[in-house]
Amino acid sequence: MNRIRKFTNFSIRDLIASAAPTILVIAAICLAAYLIVDPAPPRKVVLGTGQDNSAYDVFGKKYAAALKGDGIAVTLQPSHGSRENLRLLKEGKVDIAFMQSGTTDESAPEREGLVSLGSLFTEPVWLFLRERPGQQPIAQLTQLRGLKINIGAGGSGAPRLFRQILDVNGVAPGELQVSQLDNTPATVELLEGRIDGLVFAAAPDDPLIQMLLQTPGVALFDFTQAEAYTRRLPFLTHVTLPRGIVDLGRDLPARDYHLIAPTATLVAREDLHPALIELFVQAAAKIHGGAGWFSQQGQFPSARYTEIPVADEAAKFYKDGAPFLQRYMSFWLANFLDRMWVLVVALGALILPLSKVVPPLYVWRVRSRIYRWYGQLRTVEQALEEVPREAPAAQRMQVGRAQLARLNDIEDRVNQISVPLSFADDLYGLRSHIQFVRQRILSQTPDLATENTAIAE
């Protein structure tokens, strides 16, 4: 009964042993492809923002909150603005940062290693001037000669931008009394009357801009030649501050103002993980996609208005929207499934050819337990063949008895072999061949045959 139980139609143990090397090879290659070809995105990222209470600072906190929901920790790195953020990006101290269009030179080295995630919002040039009783309002920038003007903090994009604006007006910075204070102390200096004007290049959400637009005695410069500026400086756009947009009840401002504006962009190091780029762009759509003072619903974020090449993942988002899987499931699950294509390709390339190896290997493994005994049978036959025909009967009897004992041992061991029923014909073939060799031994040694017959009886 126990011996019968050893026979089954299929040997799971042999199949596992045959397939194990193939499975291990496939698993190792798939794991390598998963980890090396497209590693998982990091869970931490550093975002370069701006000065305290600036628009960059405010929006940076919104991005941190948005990505926190997807399990990404965003560390905010304050700075003086665009130029400092550019330096931090080039030095690898931040992964992604806010920058104004026009911040980089046209030279390739300054833009090398950077990609844009698109433009986010317009940042008009706000030139606030202290009203001077008894004097006509300043209508041309050439009238700024000799005045004390704060052109923005060192490291921000405003000083470089305003110098370009002065240059197209034929005004050298040395013709002004220039200072480069941070925005908050500069605003205090203006309100205290110690400077004549200050320059911002920021979104209207900036609390200081909101305050100055409603402060008596402070006038906003009207860029009446805004269209001409956009022709001379292509990274600028012409925007209009509508009448009453600040406070409809008080009719502030009391008329439309023409402004010139670069755009704020998100710029990242080109080695930033593609999945993080997708997350930031999706967050940008939620944060900046609404209507604003200078933009219509859905106008931003956009792949336009940026001099730095747009990342492929961002360009794809602007064309097709969020990746299909991320519309219906969590970021990490969607990212994992999206990366599974690497495994699918690896499996498709390996399973088909390697699967053809397993069945022959399985057959060989089972049959080898049977076929290896044929070598033993052949050894028995060779021992008989080596005895000369003219050898004495006693010698032939001795050799025959030894080989017969050896053959009986082989038969006992073969009877212990367990193989699936589908290979039973091979096993019974071996047994018949053992019997065939036994008959040969007995036929060549008649005395031994008589002895065995007597023993059997």
mmCIF file of all heavy atoms in Angstrom, residues 384-433:
data_model
loop_
_atom_site.group_PDB
_atom_site.id
_atom_site.type_symbol
_atom_site.label_atom_id
_atom_site.label_comp_id
_atom_site.label_asym_id
_atom_site.label_seq_id
_atom_site.Cartn_x
_atom_site.Cartn_y
_atom_site.Cartn_z
ATOM 1 N N LEU A 384 30.809 -9.939 -17.385
ATOM 2 C CA LEU A 384 30.636 -11.279 -17.962
ATOM 3 C C LEU A 384 31.425 -11.421 -19.259
ATOM 4 O O LEU A 384 32.025 -12.458 -19.546
ATOM 5 C CB LEU A 384 29.157 -11.555 -18.216
ATOM 6 C CG LEU A 384 28.276 -11.755 -16.973
ATOM 7 C CD1 LEU A 384 26.817 -11.879 -17.378
ATOM 8 C CD2 LEU A 384 28.722 -12.986 -16.196
ATOM 9 N N GLU A 385 31.399 -10.371 -20.066
ATOM 10 C CA GLU A 385 32.073 -10.435 -21.370
ATOM 11 C C GLU A 385 33.585 -10.526 -21.228
ATOM 12 O O GLU A 385 34.282 -10.987 -22.132
ATOM 13 C CB GLU A 385 31.696 -9.213 -22.206
ATOM 14 C CG GLU A 385 30.225 -9.210 -22.614
ATOM 15 C CD GLU A 385 29.800 -7.884 -23.231
ATOM 16 O OE1 GLU A 385 30.649 -6.945 -23.248
ATOM 17 O OE2 GLU A 385 28.637 -7.751 -23.652
ATOM 18 N N GLU A 386 34.119 -10.046 -20.116
ATOM 19 C CA GLU A 386 35.577 -10.074 -19.908
ATOM 20 C C GLU A 386 36.097 -11.469 -19.515
ATOM 21 O O GLU A 386 37.305 -11.692 -19.505
ATOM 22 C CB GLU A 386 35.962 -9.049 -18.840
ATOM 23 C CG GLU A 386 35.785 -7.611 -19.306
ATOM 24 C CD GLU A 386 36.033 -6.619 -18.191
ATOM 25 O OE1 GLU A 386 36.274 -7.071 -17.037
ATOM 26 O OE2 GLU A 386 35.972 -5.391 -18.455
ATOM 27 N N VAL A 387 35.175 -12.380 -19.172
ATOM 28 C CA VAL A 387 35.603 -13.747 -18.813
ATOM 29 C C VAL A 387 35.832 -14.541 -20.107
ATOM 30 O O VAL A 387 34.913 -14.668 -20.938
ATOM 31 C CB VAL A 387 34.535 -14.451 -17.944
ATOM 32 C CG1 VAL A 387 34.985 -15.892 -17.606
ATOM 33 C CG2 VAL A 387 34.275 -13.656 -16.667
ATOM 34 N N PRO A 388 37.037 -15.055 -20.345
ATOM 35 C CA PRO A 388 37.309 -15.816 -21.583
ATOM 36 C C PRO A 388 36.424 -17.057 -21.675
ATOM 37 O O PRO A 388 36.035 -17.652 -20.679
ATOM 38 C CB PRO A 388 38.785 -16.186 -21.449
ATOM 39 C CG PRO A 388 39.350 -15.239 -20.423
ATOM 40 C CD PRO A 388 38.229 -14.947 -19.484
ATOM 41 N N ARG A 389 36.084 -17.416 -22.895
ATOM 42 C CA ARG A 389 35.241 -18.588 -23.111
ATOM 43 C C ARG A 389 35.931 -19.869 -22.645
ATOM 44 O O ARG A 389 35.289 -20.831 -22.237
ATOM 45 C CB ARG A 389 34.886 -18.698 -24.592
ATOM 46 C CG ARG A 389 33.935 -17.609 -25.065
ATOM 47 C CD ARG A 389 33.546 -17.841 -26.529
ATOM 48 N NE ARG A 389 32.632 -16.815 -26.978
ATOM 49 C CZ ARG A 389 31.310 -16.878 -26.806
ATOM 50 N NH1 ARG A 389 30.781 -17.923 -26.193
ATOM 51 N NH2 ARG A 389 30.534 -15.927 -27.263
ATOM 52 N N GLU A 390 37.291 -19.893 -22.743
ATOM 53 C CA GLU A 390 38.030 -21.092 -22.353
ATOM 54 C C GLU A 390 38.344 -21.133 -20.860
ATOM 55 O O GLU A 390 39.046 -22.036 -20.373
ATOM 56 C CB GLU A 390 39.341 -21.204 -23.130
ATOM 57 C CG GLU A 390 40.307 -20.048 -22.911
ATOM 58 C CD GLU A 390 40.015 -18.849 -23.806
ATOM 59 O OE1 GLU A 390 38.953 -18.862 -24.503
ATOM 60 O OE2 GLU A 390 40.808 -17.898 -23.817
ATOM 61 N N ALA A 391 37.794 -20.142 -20.102
ATOM 62 C CA ALA A 391 38.048 -20.117 -18.658
ATOM 63 C C ALA A 391 37.385 -21.309 -17.985
ATOM 64 O O ALA A 391 36.339 -21.790 -18.428
ATOM 65 C CB ALA A 391 37.509 -18.826 -18.067
ATOM 66 N N PRO A 392 37.962 -21.781 -16.907
ATOM 67 C CA PRO A 392 37.379 -22.906 -16.182
ATOM 68 C C PRO A 392 35.965 -22.592 -15.702
ATOM 69 O O PRO A 392 35.612 -21.447 -15.459
ATOM 70 C CB PRO A 392 38.341 -23.111 -15.013
ATOM 71 C CG PRO A 392 39.605 -22.438 -15.406
ATOM 72 C CD PRO A 392 39.232 -21.329 -16.303
ATOM 73 N N ALA A 393 35.165 -23.624 -15.586
ATOM 74 C CA ALA A 393 33.771 -23.469 -15.162
ATOM 75 C C ALA A 393 33.690 -22.838 -13.775
ATOM 76 O O ALA A 393 32.792 -22.050 -13.472
ATOM 77 C CB ALA A 393 33.066 -24.825 -15.172
ATOM 78 N N ALA A 394 34.657 -23.164 -12.918
ATOM 79 C CA ALA A 394 34.653 -22.602 -11.556
ATOM 80 C C ALA A 394 34.816 -21.087 -11.578
ATOM 81 O O ALA A 394 34.171 -20.351 -10.826
ATOM 82 C CB ALA A 394 35.768 -23.241 -10.734
ATOM 83 N N GLN A 395 35.709 -20.619 -12.489
ATOM 84 C CA GLN A 395 35.916 -19.157 -12.603
ATOM 85 C C GLN A 395 34.651 -18.479 -13.119
ATOM 86 O O GLN A 395 34.257 -17.443 -12.608
ATOM 87 C CB GLN A 395 37.099 -18.875 -13.528
ATOM 88 C CG GLN A 395 37.391 -17.382 -13.681
ATOM 89 C CD GLN A 395 38.526 -17.088 -14.639
ATOM 90 O OE1 GLN A 395 39.227 -18.019 -15.086
ATOM 91 N NE2 GLN A 395 38.723 -15.824 -14.941
ATOM 92 N N ARG A 396 34.061 -19.091 -14.154
ATOM 93 C CA ARG A 396 32.843 -18.495 -14.710
ATOM 94 C C ARG A 396 31.728 -18.513 -13.670
ATOM 95 O O ARG A 396 30.923 -17.590 -13.583
ATOM 96 C CB ARG A 396 32.424 -19.272 -15.960
ATOM 97 C CG ARG A 396 33.451 -19.200 -17.104
ATOM 98 C CD ARG A 396 32.946 -19.951 -18.326
ATOM 99 N NE ARG A 396 31.790 -19.291 -18.879
ATOM 100 C CZ ARG A 396 31.850 -18.276 -19.730
ATOM 101 N NH1 ARG A 396 33.023 -17.772 -20.098
ATOM 102 N NH2 ARG A 396 30.749 -17.720 -20.201
ATOM 103 N N MET A 397 31.717 -19.612 -12.859
ATOM 104 C CA MET A 397 30.703 -19.715 -11.809
ATOM 105 C C MET A 397 30.893 -18.602 -10.765
ATOM 106 O O MET A 397 29.935 -17.982 -10.311
ATOM 107 C CB MET A 397 30.837 -21.090 -11.147
ATOM 108 C CG MET A 397 29.737 -21.408 -10.152
ATOM 109 S SD MET A 397 28.230 -21.862 -11.007
ATOM 110 C CE MET A 397 27.327 -22.521 -9.585
ATOM 111 N N GLN A 398 32.130 -18.326 -10.413
ATOM 112 C CA GLN A 398 32.435 -17.298 -9.413
ATOM 113 C C GLN A 398 32.028 -15.908 -9.905
ATOM 114 O O GLN A 398 31.412 -15.131 -9.183
ATOM 115 C CB GLN A 398 33.930 -17.332 -9.080
ATOM 116 C CG GLN A 398 34.333 -16.316 -8.003
ATOM 117 C CD GLN A 398 35.820 -16.348 -7.727
ATOM 118 O OE1 GLN A 398 36.572 -17.107 -8.351
ATOM 119 N NE2 GLN A 398 36.252 -15.525 -6.801
ATOM 120 N N VAL A 399 32.406 -15.626 -11.167
ATOM 121 C CA VAL A 399 32.051 -14.309 -11.736
ATOM 122 C C VAL A 399 30.538 -14.181 -11.852
ATOM 123 O O VAL A 399 29.931 -13.157 -11.548
ATOM 124 C CB VAL A 399 32.735 -14.116 -13.107
ATOM 125 C CG1 VAL A 399 32.220 -12.844 -13.769
ATOM 126 C CG2 VAL A 399 34.234 -14.061 -12.941
ATOM 127 N N GLY A 400 29.882 -15.210 -12.343
ATOM 128 C CA GLY A 400 28.429 -15.169 -12.508
ATOM 129 C C GLY A 400 27.706 -14.957 -11.200
ATOM 130 O O GLY A 400 26.738 -14.189 -11.109
ATOM 131 N N ARG A 401 28.185 -15.666 -10.139
ATOM 132 C CA ARG A 401 27.541 -15.521 -8.841
ATOM 133 C C ARG A 401 27.691 -14.082 -8.307
ATOM 134 O O ARG A 401 26.757 -13.487 -7.751
ATOM 135 C CB ARG A 401 28.159 -16.525 -7.865
ATOM 136 C CG ARG A 401 27.436 -16.531 -6.497
ATOM 137 C CD ARG A 401 28.047 -17.574 -5.557
ATOM 138 N NE ARG A 401 27.706 -18.934 -5.999
ATOM 139 C CZ ARG A 401 28.565 -19.793 -6.518
ATOM 140 N NH1 ARG A 401 29.851 -19.444 -6.675
ATOM 141 N NH2 ARG A 401 28.205 -21.010 -6.898
ATOM 142 N N ALA A 402 28.884 -13.485 -8.510
ATOM 143 C CA ALA A 402 29.139 -12.113 -8.038
ATOM 144 C C ALA A 402 28.258 -11.105 -8.778
ATOM 145 O O ALA A 402 27.675 -10.185 -8.174
ATOM 146 C CB ALA A 402 30.609 -11.770 -8.203
ATOM 147 N N GLN A 403 28.154 -11.286 -10.102
ATOM 148 C CA GLN A 403 27.362 -10.335 -10.889
ATOM 149 C C GLN A 403 25.872 -10.518 -10.639
ATOM 150 O O GLN A 403 25.105 -9.552 -10.685
ATOM 151 C CB GLN A 403 27.691 -10.489 -12.378
ATOM 152 C CG GLN A 403 29.129 -10.161 -12.714
ATOM 153 C CD GLN A 403 29.551 -8.796 -12.175
ATOM 154 O OE1 GLN A 403 28.842 -7.801 -12.324
ATOM 155 N NE2 GLN A 403 30.729 -8.764 -11.536
ATOM 156 N N LEU A 404 25.480 -11.766 -10.361
ATOM 157 C CA LEU A 404 24.075 -11.999 -10.058
ATOM 158 C C LEU A 404 23.696 -11.335 -8.739
ATOM 159 O O LEU A 404 22.609 -10.751 -8.603
ATOM 160 C CB LEU A 404 23.798 -13.500 -10.007
ATOM 161 C CG LEU A 404 22.326 -13.909 -9.911
ATOM 162 C CD1 LEU A 404 21.554 -13.405 -11.134
ATOM 163 C CD2 LEU A 404 22.194 -15.423 -9.800
ATOM 164 N N ALA A 405 24.598 -11.419 -7.759
ATOM 165 C CA ALA A 405 24.350 -10.738 -6.475
ATOM 166 C C ALA A 405 24.269 -9.228 -6.674
ATOM 167 O O ALA A 405 23.431 -8.544 -6.071
ATOM 168 C CB ALA A 405 25.463 -11.091 -5.487
ATOM 169 N N ARG A 406 25.164 -8.734 -7.521
ATOM 170 C CA ARG A 406 25.144 -7.292 -7.825
ATOM 171 C C ARG A 406 23.852 -6.911 -8.519
ATOM 172 O O ARG A 406 23.249 -5.868 -8.234
ATOM 173 C CB ARG A 406 26.345 -6.933 -8.686
ATOM 174 C CG ARG A 406 26.508 -5.451 -8.962
ATOM 175 C CD ARG A 406 27.787 -5.217 -9.738
ATOM 176 N NE ARG A 406 27.995 -3.808 -9.974
ATOM 177 C CZ ARG A 406 29.013 -3.300 -10.674
ATOM 178 N NH1 ARG A 406 29.942 -4.146 -11.168
ATOM 179 N NH2 ARG A 406 29.132 -2.011 -10.849
ATOM 180 N N LEU A 407 23.388 -7.757 -9.416
ATOM 181 C CA LEU A 407 22.146 -7.491 -10.151
ATOM 182 C C LEU A 407 20.949 -7.514 -9.203
ATOM 183 O O LEU A 407 20.025 -6.696 -9.330
ATOM 184 C CB LEU A 407 21.978 -8.522 -11.262
ATOM 185 C CG LEU A 407 20.864 -8.254 -12.269
ATOM 186 C CD1 LEU A 407 21.134 -6.972 -13.043
ATOM 187 C CD2 LEU A 407 20.721 -9.418 -13.238
ATOM 188 N N ASN A 408 20.971 -8.431 -8.251
ATOM 189 C CA ASN A 408 19.876 -8.470 -7.281
ATOM 190 C C ASN A 408 19.834 -7.197 -6.438
ATOM 191 O O ASN A 408 18.760 -6.689 -6.088
ATOM 192 C CB ASN A 408 20.044 -9.697 -6.373
ATOM 193 C CG ASN A 408 19.788 -10.994 -7.115
ATOM 194 O OD1 ASN A 408 19.070 -11.009 -8.126
ATOM 195 N ND2 ASN A 408 20.372 -12.095 -6.633
ATOM 196 N N ASP A 409 21.009 -6.665 -6.110
ATOM 197 C CA ASP A 409 21.074 -5.406 -5.363
ATOM 198 C C ASP A 409 20.512 -4.246 -6.182
ATOM 199 O O ASP A 409 19.784 -3.403 -5.669
ATOM 200 C CB ASP A 409 22.520 -5.133 -4.958
ATOM 201 C CG ASP A 409 22.656 -3.851 -4.164
ATOM 202 O OD1 ASP A 409 22.098 -3.773 -3.050
ATOM 203 O OD2 ASP A 409 23.297 -2.910 -4.668
ATOM 204 N N ILE A 410 20.869 -4.241 -7.479
ATOM 205 C CA ILE A 410 20.333 -3.209 -8.379
ATOM 206 C C ILE A 410 18.812 -3.300 -8.438
ATOM 207 O O ILE A 410 18.101 -2.289 -8.375
ATOM 208 C CB ILE A 410 20.947 -3.353 -9.786
ATOM 209 C CG1 ILE A 410 22.444 -2.986 -9.752
ATOM 210 C CG2 ILE A 410 20.209 -2.465 -10.789
ATOM 211 C CD1 ILE A 410 23.160 -3.250 -11.058
ATOM 212 N N GLU A 411 18.312 -4.516 -8.540
ATOM 213 C CA GLU A 411 16.859 -4.703 -8.632
ATOM 214 C C GLU A 411 16.171 -4.220 -7.377
ATOM 215 O O GLU A 411 15.109 -3.573 -7.428
ATOM 216 C CB GLU A 411 16.539 -6.167 -8.889
ATOM 217 C CG GLU A 411 15.042 -6.427 -9.134
ATOM 218 C CD GLU A 411 14.773 -7.861 -9.491
ATOM 219 O OE1 GLU A 411 15.498 -8.750 -9.016
ATOM 220 O OE2 GLU A 411 13.812 -8.105 -10.265
ATOM 221 N N ASP A 412 16.747 -4.508 -6.202
ATOM 222 C CA ASP A 412 16.150 -4.035 -4.948
ATOM 223 C C ASP A 412 16.080 -2.517 -4.897
ATOM 224 O O ASP A 412 15.090 -1.935 -4.432
ATOM 225 C CB ASP A 412 16.967 -4.560 -3.760
ATOM 226 C CG ASP A 412 16.783 -6.056 -3.540
ATOM 227 O OD1 ASP A 412 15.762 -6.594 -4.029
ATOM 228 O OD2 ASP A 412 17.663 -6.670 -2.907
ATOM 229 N N ARG A 413 17.144 -1.882 -5.357
ATOM 230 C CA ARG A 413 17.165 -0.408 -5.352
ATOM 231 C C ARG A 413 16.178 0.174 -6.360
ATOM 232 O O ARG A 413 15.532 1.186 -6.098
ATOM 233 C CB ARG A 413 18.573 0.095 -5.643
ATOM 234 C CG ARG A 413 19.573 -0.284 -4.557
ATOM 235 C CD ARG A 413 20.880 0.440 -4.737
ATOM 236 N NE ARG A 413 21.837 0.111 -3.694
ATOM 237 C CZ ARG A 413 22.969 0.751 -3.516
ATOM 238 N NH1 ARG A 413 23.299 1.753 -4.314
ATOM 239 N NH2 ARG A 413 23.785 0.384 -2.536
ATOM 240 N N VAL A 414 16.091 -0.451 -7.513
ATOM 241 C CA VAL A 414 15.146 0.026 -8.535
ATOM 242 C C VAL A 414 13.718 -0.084 -8.024
ATOM 243 O O VAL A 414 12.864 0.765 -8.306
ATOM 244 C CB VAL A 414 15.335 -0.764 -9.848
ATOM 245 C CG1 VAL A 414 14.178 -0.516 -10.810
ATOM 246 C CG2 VAL A 414 16.656 -0.389 -10.495
ATOM 247 N N ASN A 415 13.443 -1.112 -7.246
ATOM 248 C CA ASN A 415 12.098 -1.290 -6.704
ATOM 249 C C ASN A 415 11.718 -0.174 -5.723
ATOM 250 O O ASN A 415 10.537 -0.002 -5.417
ATOM 251 C CB ASN A 415 11.991 -2.648 -6.007
ATOM 252 C CG ASN A 415 11.970 -3.799 -6.993
ATOM 253 O OD1 ASN A 415 11.603 -3.619 -8.155
ATOM 254 N ND2 ASN A 415 12.381 -4.993 -6.537
ATOM 255 N N GLN A 416 12.715 0.551 -5.248
ATOM 256 C CA GLN A 416 12.446 1.656 -4.330
ATOM 257 C C GLN A 416 12.237 2.997 -5.049
ATOM 258 O O GLN A 416 11.909 3.990 -4.413
ATOM 259 C CB GLN A 416 13.621 1.809 -3.342
ATOM 260 C CG GLN A 416 13.911 0.562 -2.513
ATOM 261 C CD GLN A 416 12.732 0.129 -1.689
ATOM 262 O OE1 GLN A 416 12.063 0.965 -1.081
ATOM 263 N NE2 GLN A 416 12.480 -1.180 -1.654
ATOM 264 N N ILE A 417 12.445 3.006 -6.358
ATOM 265 C CA ILE A 417 12.303 4.266 -7.111
ATOM 266 C C ILE A 417 10.836 4.677 -7.175
ATOM 267 O O ILE A 417 9.956 3.849 -7.436
ATOM 268 C CB ILE A 417 12.867 4.115 -8.546
ATOM 269 C CG1 ILE A 417 14.371 3.849 -8.494
ATOM 270 C CG2 ILE A 417 12.574 5.370 -9.370
ATOM 271 C CD1 ILE A 417 14.975 3.580 -9.856
ATOM 272 N N SER A 418 10.592 5.961 -6.952
ATOM 273 C CA SER A 418 9.236 6.516 -7.070
ATOM 274 C C SER A 418 9.204 7.491 -8.244
ATOM 275 O O SER A 418 9.958 8.466 -8.274
ATOM 276 C CB SER A 418 8.847 7.241 -5.780
ATOM 277 O OG SER A 418 7.595 7.865 -5.929
ATOM 278 N N VAL A 419 8.351 7.199 -9.209
ATOM 279 C CA VAL A 419 8.208 8.083 -10.368
ATOM 280 C C VAL A 419 6.729 8.279 -10.638
ATOM 281 O O VAL A 419 5.899 7.437 -10.255
ATOM 282 C CB VAL A 419 8.897 7.495 -11.622
ATOM 283 C CG1 VAL A 419 10.401 7.415 -11.438
ATOM 284 C CG2 VAL A 419 8.311 6.144 -11.976
ATOM 285 N N PRO A 420 6.344 9.404 -11.299
ATOM 286 C CA PRO A 420 4.947 9.590 -11.673
ATOM 287 C C PRO A 420 4.484 8.475 -12.604
ATOM 288 O O PRO A 420 5.286 7.872 -13.322
ATOM 289 C CB PRO A 420 4.953 10.954 -12.378
ATOM 290 C CG PRO A 420 6.161 11.635 -11.869
ATOM 291 C CD PRO A 420 7.172 10.572 -11.640
ATOM 292 N N LEU A 421 3.185 8.208 -12.601
ATOM 293 C CA LEU A 421 2.640 7.129 -13.421
ATOM 294 C C LEU A 421 2.905 7.341 -14.904
ATOM 295 O O LEU A 421 2.977 6.375 -15.670
ATOM 296 C CB LEU A 421 1.134 7.001 -13.171
ATOM 297 C CG LEU A 421 0.735 6.482 -11.777
ATOM 298 C CD1 LEU A 421 -0.770 6.497 -11.621
ATOM 299 C CD2 LEU A 421 1.302 5.093 -11.549
ATOM 300 N N SER A 422 3.044 8.604 -15.317
ATOM 301 C CA SER A 422 3.306 8.865 -16.730
ATOM 302 C C SER A 422 4.673 8.344 -17.171
ATOM 303 O O SER A 422 4.938 8.226 -18.370
ATOM 304 C CB SER A 422 3.201 10.369 -17.013
ATOM 305 O OG SER A 422 4.082 11.089 -16.173
ATOM 306 N N PHE A 423 5.535 8.034 -16.200
ATOM 307 C CA PHE A 423 6.855 7.488 -16.518
ATOM 308 C C PHE A 423 6.973 6.019 -16.108
ATOM 309 O O PHE A 423 8.068 5.475 -16.073
ATOM 310 C CB PHE A 423 7.950 8.306 -15.806
ATOM 311 C CG PHE A 423 8.048 9.723 -16.291
ATOM 312 C CD1 PHE A 423 7.296 10.724 -15.697
ATOM 313 C CD2 PHE A 423 8.881 10.054 -17.346
ATOM 314 C CE1 PHE A 423 7.379 12.031 -16.140
ATOM 315 C CE2 PHE A 423 8.973 11.357 -17.794
ATOM 316 C CZ PHE A 423 8.215 12.354 -17.194
ATOM 317 N N ALA A 424 5.846 5.386 -15.792
ATOM 318 C CA ALA A 424 5.875 3.997 -15.346
ATOM 319 C C ALA A 424 6.395 3.060 -16.419
ATOM 320 O O ALA A 424 7.054 2.051 -16.107
ATOM 321 C CB ALA A 424 4.479 3.568 -14.894
ATOM 322 N N ASP A 425 6.139 3.361 -17.695
ATOM 323 C CA ASP A 425 6.621 2.483 -18.758
ATOM 324 C C ASP A 425 8.147 2.434 -18.766
ATOM 325 O O ASP A 425 8.748 1.382 -19.036
ATOM 326 C CB ASP A 425 6.082 2.924 -20.103
ATOM 327 C CG ASP A 425 6.426 4.370 -20.420
ATOM 328 O OD1 ASP A 425 6.740 5.112 -19.474
ATOM 329 O OD2 ASP A 425 6.384 4.756 -21.612
ATOM 330 N N ASP A 426 8.795 3.583 -18.467
ATOM 331 C CA ASP A 426 10.257 3.585 -18.390
ATOM 332 C C ASP A 426 10.746 2.727 -17.230
ATOM 333 O O ASP A 426 11.753 2.009 -17.337
ATOM 334 C CB ASP A 426 10.779 5.017 -18.242
ATOM 335 C CG ASP A 426 10.459 5.873 -19.442
ATOM 336 O OD1 ASP A 426 10.811 5.475 -20.564
ATOM 337 O OD2 ASP A 426 9.855 6.945 -19.260
ATOM 338 N N LEU A 427 10.027 2.791 -16.083
ATOM 339 C CA LEU A 427 10.420 2.014 -14.924
ATOM 340 C C LEU A 427 10.258 0.510 -15.191
ATOM 341 O O LEU A 427 11.156 -0.289 -14.884
ATOM 342 C CB LEU A 427 9.595 2.438 -13.710
ATOM 343 C CG LEU A 427 9.901 1.709 -12.397
ATOM 344 C CD1 LEU A 427 11.366 1.895 -12.004
ATOM 345 C CD2 LEU A 427 8.974 2.202 -11.288
ATOM 346 N N TYR A 428 9.115 0.150 -15.777
ATOM 347 C CA TYR A 428 8.910 -1.269 -16.068
ATOM 348 C C TYR A 428 9.849 -1.746 -17.168
ATOM 349 O O TYR A 428 10.253 -2.911 -17.189
ATOM 350 C CB TYR A 428 7.450 -1.515 -16.454
ATOM 351 C CG TYR A 428 6.540 -1.570 -15.250
ATOM 352 C CD1 TYR A 428 5.765 -0.473 -14.901
ATOM 353 C CD2 TYR A 428 6.494 -2.707 -14.454
ATOM 354 C CE1 TYR A 428 4.942 -0.509 -13.794
ATOM 355 C CE2 TYR A 428 5.669 -2.749 -13.332
ATOM 356 C CZ TYR A 428 4.892 -1.651 -13.005
ATOM 357 O OH TYR A 428 4.096 -1.691 -11.895
ATOM 358 N N GLY A 429 10.210 -0.861 -18.075
ATOM 359 C CA GLY A 429 11.213 -1.222 -19.078
ATOM 360 C C GLY A 429 12.545 -1.547 -18.432
ATOM 361 O O GLY A 429 13.232 -2.498 -18.819
ATOM 362 N N LEU A 430 12.936 -0.735 -17.408
ATOM 363 C CA LEU A 430 14.174 -1.009 -16.682
ATOM 364 C C LEU A 430 14.114 -2.363 -15.991
ATOM 365 O O LEU A 430 15.079 -3.143 -16.024
ATOM 366 C CB LEU A 430 14.422 0.113 -15.664
ATOM 367 C CG LEU A 430 15.597 -0.081 -14.710
ATOM 368 C CD1 LEU A 430 16.913 -0.232 -15.485
ATOM 369 C CD2 LEU A 430 15.682 1.083 -13.717
ATOM 370 N N ARG A 431 12.974 -2.653 -15.370
ATOM 371 C CA ARG A 431 12.845 -3.939 -14.683
ATOM 372 C C ARG A 431 12.956 -5.114 -15.660
ATOM 373 O O ARG A 431 13.588 -6.144 -15.354
ATOM 374 C CB ARG A 431 11.510 -3.996 -13.949
ATOM 375 C CG ARG A 431 11.465 -3.108 -12.698
ATOM 376 C CD ARG A 431 10.106 -3.150 -12.065
ATOM 377 N NE ARG A 431 10.090 -2.416 -10.789
ATOM 378 C CZ ARG A 431 9.003 -2.258 -10.049
ATOM 379 N NH1 ARG A 431 7.844 -2.769 -10.462
ATOM 380 N NH2 ARG A 431 9.067 -1.590 -8.933
ATOM 381 N N SER A 432 12.348 -4.944 -16.824
ATOM 382 C CA SER A 432 12.434 -6.025 -17.814
ATOM 383 C C SER A 432 13.864 -6.197 -18.306
ATOM 384 O O SER A 432 14.320 -7.333 -18.560
ATOM 385 C CB SER A 432 11.489 -5.757 -18.978
ATOM 386 O OG SER A 432 11.896 -4.600 -19.694
ATOM 387 N N HIS A 433 14.587 -5.113 -18.401
ATOM 388 C CA HIS A 433 15.977 -5.180 -18.833
ATOM 389 C C HIS A 433 16.855 -5.821 -17.757
ATOM 390 O O HIS A 433 17.840 -6.511 -18.077
ATOM 391 C CB HIS A 433 16.504 -3.799 -19.198
ATOM 392 C CG HIS A 433 15.836 -3.224 -20.407
ATOM 393 N ND1 HIS A 433 15.679 -1.878 -20.616
ATOM 394 C CD2 HIS A 433 15.251 -3.844 -21.485
ATOM 395 C CE1 HIS A 433 15.049 -1.654 -21.746
ATOM 396 N NE2 HIS A 433 14.775 -2.863 -22.293
#
